[in-house]
Amino acid sequence: MHKTIDLLKSKDELRIIDTPLDIALEIPHLAYAEVKKENGGKALLFTHPVDKATGKKFDIPVVMNLFGSFRRTELLFGREVEGVAAEIEKLLHMKPPQGLKEKVGMLGDLFAMKDIFPKKLKKRGSCQEVVKQGDEVNLYDLPILTTWEEDGGPFITMGQVYTQSLDGAVVNLGMYRLQVYDKNHLGMHWQIHKDSSHFFDQYQRAGKKMPVSIGIGGDPLYTWCATAPLPYGVNELLLYGLIKKESPKLVESITTPLYIPEDVDFVIEGWVDPEKLVLEGPFGDHTGYYTLAEHYPVMEVSAITSRKNPYYLATVVGKPPLEDKYMGWATERVFLPLLKTNAADLIDYHMPENGVFHNLILAKMKPLYKGHAKQFMHIFWGSGQMSFVKHALFFGEDAPKLTNYEALITYALNRFIPKCLFISEGITDALDHSSPESLVGGKLGIDFTASHSPIAPESIDSSALTEHFQNLIPEVTALTQYMRHTANPITVVSVRKIRSLKECFSALERLASFVRIVIFVDEEKNDIHNPYMLLWRVTNNMDAARDVYRSESIVAIDGTTKTVVDSFEREWPGDVECTPSVVERLKSLSLWDLDPKLEKKYQL
């Protein structure tokens, strides 16, 4: 991490905050604002973190927003991200060499591969210069942040969680949030679909405690590798070797059999009792909503080791855009070749950050036959972490670039008819709150690969259309129309909901002359003139199997909060929002410098 700090300083990519700030809310709120700047802001180094609740002052600096821009992400990779993808694609398509020249070239490629494998050292690492065990262990000695006012407590947010299978044959590096319960206990928020959870099941069946080692800091690429969606059984550190062209050097933990990179800043070691589950959360998560409290395994910390002058690495999650936008972009680019192995005619894909990744994916493909796009939908929904995606939109090879949203939406709406929709059911991310039951919900696929000829509705002024809606649906408070130049304008309607909108959908047929696509949102907390946050809200709040209405000419979506009037039985979480008094204090210290227009746009 020392090298990273020096690199960022030399590139003018580091903002140093010397003002003492609280690890509860103040530091994370400032990082939350920084990354929402137009260019992603700068990496942040907080040199004087304090815990105002206890009066404790830390001599451990806090580092945040390391990956918070495209430029910094490539600086941390040490190369162009697209180059990594090209290299993986070359490896996947390696063919037997023809002739001496090709054989020599392949030998060079294979020789370079020798450096991708982790190397185990027999000595201690720099991460073990300071060792605390037994009564010396105290998680409160680390400046672990409390990010949001309603969080269940302080959480480690950038932990590299190293685990292994019961027989030790398979190792895994993952990233899971880790709640601090007391000085030597951490919550393990590994969801049921994650590799560490599969390992935990093995230990649970065997009645044995499970070893865990958690790295913090070191080379930032370790942290990105922890988020990589590799297949089960593939060591994520192989990616580090492939990208860096050098073997990650590992040392054995002091009190567990697990190996960790020798140069991380902190290592938290411990054991998970398979018989013990503890209430974890709530926690403001990357969906922009709070994840509700649930029971998860707990780790008893057996040792904390560190460098002599460590940095504490953290991130902040909440409403987009955030640091995970740029980390996700790198993942998206690097894993495109691997995704193509299951979908050979895939050209490209993209996950907009306001779709919070698992809520929306855009894909471009070369359709070869009728139903090809639906086949791709099933491939995506059956592929590793891609199976969590709720809404998948597929475009033909003649479509605009997937990141050119204006052109892409125009292209889509000029060829869309309701029968392009495909609704299915499958697994959902544990963080998804909108499905009628946890972990299973509706999936929506839209096939834009075929060119239909939809008939545009009659153009009508929004005020007149509002009056028509209110005559039919009294709950309507306002509406606006988007993409009126297309054959399928989108009408966004705000409501004060007092009944299930299912009771209103049939009334829309009487407006078929004027509308094609209608999206309902709650009046409260929504700005119908803010499409960026509307996409975030609606993709979070809808379950396709329940909330999509379609007829021959109209499609309607219910993007409202679900309550008892919808026969919704689960608890609906609240939005992640900044604490106003904290924001005002940061402004009074002249530290908060986010443009008020962006504060409003991103609904802080």
Side-chain angles (χ1 to χ4, degrees):
M1 189 61 72
H2 287 267
K3 291 180 180 179
T4 298
I5 297 298
D6 290 342
L7 172 65
L8 296 177
K9 284 180 180 177
S10 70
K11 301 294 184 180
D12 192 29
E13 286 284 349
L14 185 68
R15 180 184 176 191
I16 299 175
I17 310 293
D18 290 323
T19 306
L21 290 178
D22 199 348
I23 58 174
L25 305 187
E26 287 185 350
I27 288 176
H29 273 38
L30 192 58
Y32 190 60
E34 183 73 20
V35 74
K36 293 186 185 300
K37 294 177 180 177
E38 292 290 0
N39 60 355
K42 294 188 177 183
L44 298 176
L45 176 63
F46 298 92
T47 58
H48 292 92
V50 299
D51 183 355
K52 291 183 178 178
T54 63
K56 185 177 179 64
K57 298 179 180 179
F58 298 91
D59 58 3
I60 303 167
V62 174
V63 183
M64 300 188 75
N65 202 25
L66 277 189
F67 288 92
S69 74
F70 296 115
R71 181 179 186 230
R72 279 202 303 284
T73 298
E74 293 204 320
L75 282 173
L76 299 178
F77 267 63
R79 56 190 295 195
E80 291 184 357
V81 169
E82 292 285 1
V84 178
E87 187 173 339
I88 291 174
E89 187 157 33
K90 180 180 179 181
L91 289 171
L92 291 172
H93 294 90
M94 191 175 285
K95 297 178 180 178
Q98 302 293 321
L100 180 61
K101 185 176 180 180
E102 286 189 15
K103 289 180 180 178
V104 171
M106 179 174 282
L107 284 175
D109 292 337
L110 294 175
F111 183 76
M113 292 282 289
K114 68 179 178 60
D115 292 326
I116 76 170
F117 299 98
K119 182 179 180 181
K120 294 180 178 179
L121 307 180
K122 294 182 179 179
K123 61 179 182 179
R124 284 194 176 184
S126 56
C127 64
Q128 297 164 327
E129 291 173 338
V130 179
V131 178
K132 294 183 178 180
Q133 296 178 251
D135 293 338
E136 292 183 304
V137 167
N138 189 354
L139 291 166
Y140 295 117
D141 287 340
L142 279 62
I144 301 172
L145 308 178
T146 300
T147 307
W148 301 110
E149 189 172 352
E150 296 178 33
D151 281 357
F155 283 84
I156 296 171
T157 52
M158 278 287 213
Q160 308 155 30
V161 181
Y162 296 86
T163 55
Q164 67 182 23
S165 58
L166 180 63
D167 61 7
V170 181
V171 298
N172 179 256
L173 166 58
M175 182 188 289
Y176 317 100
R177 69 180 192 230
L178 308 160
Q179 182 176 354
V180 177
Y181 293 121
D182 54 41
K183 72 184 190 71
N184 65 336
H185 288 92
L186 281 174
M188 300 283 107
H189 189 268
W190 49 50
Q191 299 101 315
I192 193 169
H193 306 116
K194 304 297 185 180
D195 289 349
S196 290
S197 180
H198 297 159
F199 293 164
F200 177 74
D201 292 341
Q202 298 172 15
Y203 286 90
Q204 195 171 46
R205 287 192 294 268
K208 294 183 177 181
K209 289 187 177 181
M210 176 177 172
V212 178
S213 288
I214 300 161
I216 299 174
D219 189 324
L221 198 59
Y222 300 141
T223 304
W224 178 81
C225 288
T227 68
L230 284 168
Y232 178 83
V234 179
N235 186 347
E236 285 75 10
L237 287 178
L238 291 172
L239 263 182
Y240 178 94
L242 179 69
I243 294 167
K244 289 284 190 175
K245 300 302 181 188
E246 61 181 58
S247 299
K249 297 176 178 60
L250 311 181
V251 292
E252 189 173 10
S253 300
I254 302 294
T255 60
T256 76
L258 298 163
Y259 280 79
I260 70 278
E262 71 89 19
D263 59 341
V264 294
D265 287 72
F266 288 96
V267 182
I268 303 171
E269 306 173 10
W271 298 81
V272 175
D273 186 340
E275 301 302 320
K276 187 175 183 180
L277 298 177
V278 176
L279 198 64
E280 188 266 0
F283 178 69
D285 222 310
H286 76 273
T287 60
Y289 285 81
Y290 281 92
T291 303
L292 303 175
E294 291 186 89
H295 286 85
Y296 278 92
V298 61
M299 172 176 130
E300 183 171 356
V301 180
S302 53
I304 299 178
T305 73
S306 70
R307 304 173 68 101
K308 286 182 179 177
N309 296 294
Y311 290 93
Y312 179 78
L313 179 63
T315 192
V316 59
V317 291
K319 294 175 183 174
L322 289 170
E323 188 175 0
D324 59 8
K325 166 183 176 177
Y326 306 98
M327 298 178 76
W329 163 74
T331 301
E332 177 186 288
R333 296 298 89 202
V334 168
F335 281 85
L336 175 59
L338 292 171
L339 194 54
K340 286 182 178 180
T341 61
N342 285 332
D345 299 302
L346 178 68
I347 297 170
D348 199 5
Y349 77 112
H350 171 59
M351 295 180 283
E353 78 270 5
N354 51 337
V356 295
F357 305 106
H358 61 262
N359 280 347
L360 178 64
I361 187 169
L362 313 176
K364 184 185 286 192
M365 61 179 290
K366 183 179 181 180
L368 301 178
Y369 40 81
K370 188 176 181 179
H372 200 176
K374 287 187 175 65
Q375 181 185 28
F376 266 45
M377 293 174 195
H378 289 295
I379 290 172
F380 275 47
W381 289 330
S383 300
Q385 292 190 31
M386 198 66 72
S387 60
F388 299 136
V389 171
K390 292 170 63 177
H391 311 111
L393 282 54
F394 286 85
F395 300 85
E397 57 191 318
D398 62 333
K401 190 174 181 179
L402 295 177
T403 53
N404 185 350
Y405 299 142
E406 181 76 21
L408 191 69
I409 294 170
T410 300
Y411 169 94
L413 294 178
N414 280 330
R415 57 176 46 212
F416 173 77
I417 59 174
K419 78 172 189 177
C420 294
L421 300 181
F422 175 70
I423 296 175
S424 185
E425 186 180 59
I427 66 168
T428 59
D429 192 282
L431 305 182
D432 179 64
H433 62 263
S434 64
S435 56
E437 60 177 307
S438 179
L439 304 176
V440 177
K443 304 278 192 177
L444 174 64
I446 309 182
D447 179 3
F448 292 115
T449 62
S451 181
H452 299 285
S453 300
I455 300 173
E458 179 184 339
S459 182
I460 184 173
D461 182 78
S462 291
S463 59
L465 186 57
T466 301
E467 186 176 343
H468 282 301
F469 264 86
Q470 289 175 332
N471 288 336
L472 294 172
I473 306 171
E475 296 95 323
V476 171
T477 59
L479 66 74
T480 191
Q481 300 176 79
Y482 290 95
M483 309 303 290
R484 295 181 67 178
H485 62 284
T486 71
N488 281 283
I490 300 172
T491 304
V492 178
V493 182
S494 63
V495 296
R496 292 177 188 156
K497 194 170 73 172
I498 57 175
R499 56 177 171 158
S500 171
L501 291 181
K502 286 182 179 179
E503 299 175 26
C504 308
F505 283 161
S506 60
L508 296 177
E509 294 299 330
R510 293 158 66 181
L511 298 173
S513 298
F514 309 118
V515 299
R516 289 294 177 266
I517 300 172
V518 180
I519 301 174
F520 291 95
V521 296
D522 297 297
E523 178 188 47
E524 185 182 9
K525 294 188 176 181
N526 285 300
D527 176 2
I528 60 173
H529 304 290
N530 185 345
Y532 182 94
M533 295 307 292
L534 285 173
L535 178 69
W536 164 76
R537 179 77 72 181
V538 172
T539 56
N540 258 310
N541 282 5
M542 64 178 283
D543 179 274
R546 176 194 60 218
D547 297 327
V548 176
Y549 167 85
R550 59 180 166 176
S551 66
E552 288 188 5
S553 59
I554 294 176
V555 171
I557 294 172
D558 179 1
T560 64
T561 296
K562 303 307 179 294
T563 66
V564 290
V565 302
D566 304 287
S567 301
F568 190 80
E569 298 180 354
R570 300 172 64 194
E571 183 180 353
W572 193 274
D575 288 19
V576 170
E577 294 178 338
C578 290
T579 302
S581 60
V582 174
V583 175
E584 289 308 310
R585 169 168 161 74
L586 294 170
K587 288 180 177 179
S588 71
L589 294 170
S590 300
L591 296 175
W592 182 290
D593 57 358
L594 183 65
D595 186 331
K597 292 180 181 178
L598 294 179
E599 285 187 39
K600 182 179 180 181
K601 176 179 179 179
Y602 297 129
Q603 300 180 356
L604 272 64

